[in-house]
């Protein structure tokens, strides 16, 4: 795997910590997603996830709760993947943060 294709361990750990937002609703969606789905994403989706984490919590909340769509349409597919994963995961399987 080339440097352009994959996140190294340090970058992945950084993404994990950036996924912990401090807002319970976001943490319940983002942390399980990065733990269970991130490594299986395409390079494009991994970079979209990284771009998503640069957004404000208030915007993330609105997008992940399906109240609004992002201005950047490139973020919509990764948001859809996160929401779909959250909806298909049993809440009892998510450990408390």
């Amino acid at each position: 795997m080339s440097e352009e294709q994959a996140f190294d361990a340090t970058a992945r750990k950084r993404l994990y910590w950036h996924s912990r937002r401090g807002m319970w609703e976001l943490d319940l969606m983002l942390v399980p997603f990065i733990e269970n789905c991130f490594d299986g994403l395409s390079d494009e989706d991994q970079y979209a996830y990284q771009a998503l984490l640069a957004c404000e919590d208030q915007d993330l909340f609105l997008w992940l709760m399906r109240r609004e769509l992002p201005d950047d349409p490139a973020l919509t597919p990764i948001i859809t993947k996160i929401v779909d994963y959250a909806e298909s995961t049993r809440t009892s399987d998510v450990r408390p943060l």
Side-chain angles (χ1 to χ4, degrees):
M1 239 181 239
S2 74
E3 204 172 296
E4 295 89 28
Q5 292 177 329
F7 286 86
D8 64 17
T10 303
R12 191 180 182 299
K13 287 178 186 176
R14 188 175 300 117
L15 286 176
Y16 174 83
W17 287 106
H18 285 252
S19 297
R20 297 187 64 176
R21 306 303 283 211
M23 184 185 290
W24 188 67
E25 295 86 353
L26 295 180
D27 289 349
L28 285 177
M29 295 183 84
L30 295 175
V31 172
F33 184 81
I34 196 163
E35 288 176 340
N36 299 298
C37 300
F38 184 80
D39 293 331
L41 295 174
S42 68
D43 293 344
E44 181 180 343
D45 284 339
Q46 287 183 352
Y47 287 106
Y49 186 82
Q50 182 179 17
L52 185 70
L53 293 182
C55 298
E56 297 290 330
D57 287 355
Q58 297 87 346
D59 293 330
L60 289 174
F61 180 80
L62 292 173
W63 302 335
L64 293 174
M65 297 300 129
R66 296 184 178 187
R67 294 185 181 161
E68 289 183 10
L69 293 174
D71 292 334
D72 182 355
L75 295 176
T76 302
I78 193 65
I79 290 168
T80 301
K81 285 179 171 72
I82 294 167
V83 171
D84 289 347
Y85 180 75
E87 289 178 345
S88 69
T89 304
R90 295 185 348 197
T91 308
S92 62
D93 291 342
V94 178
R95 59 179 162 66
L97 299 173

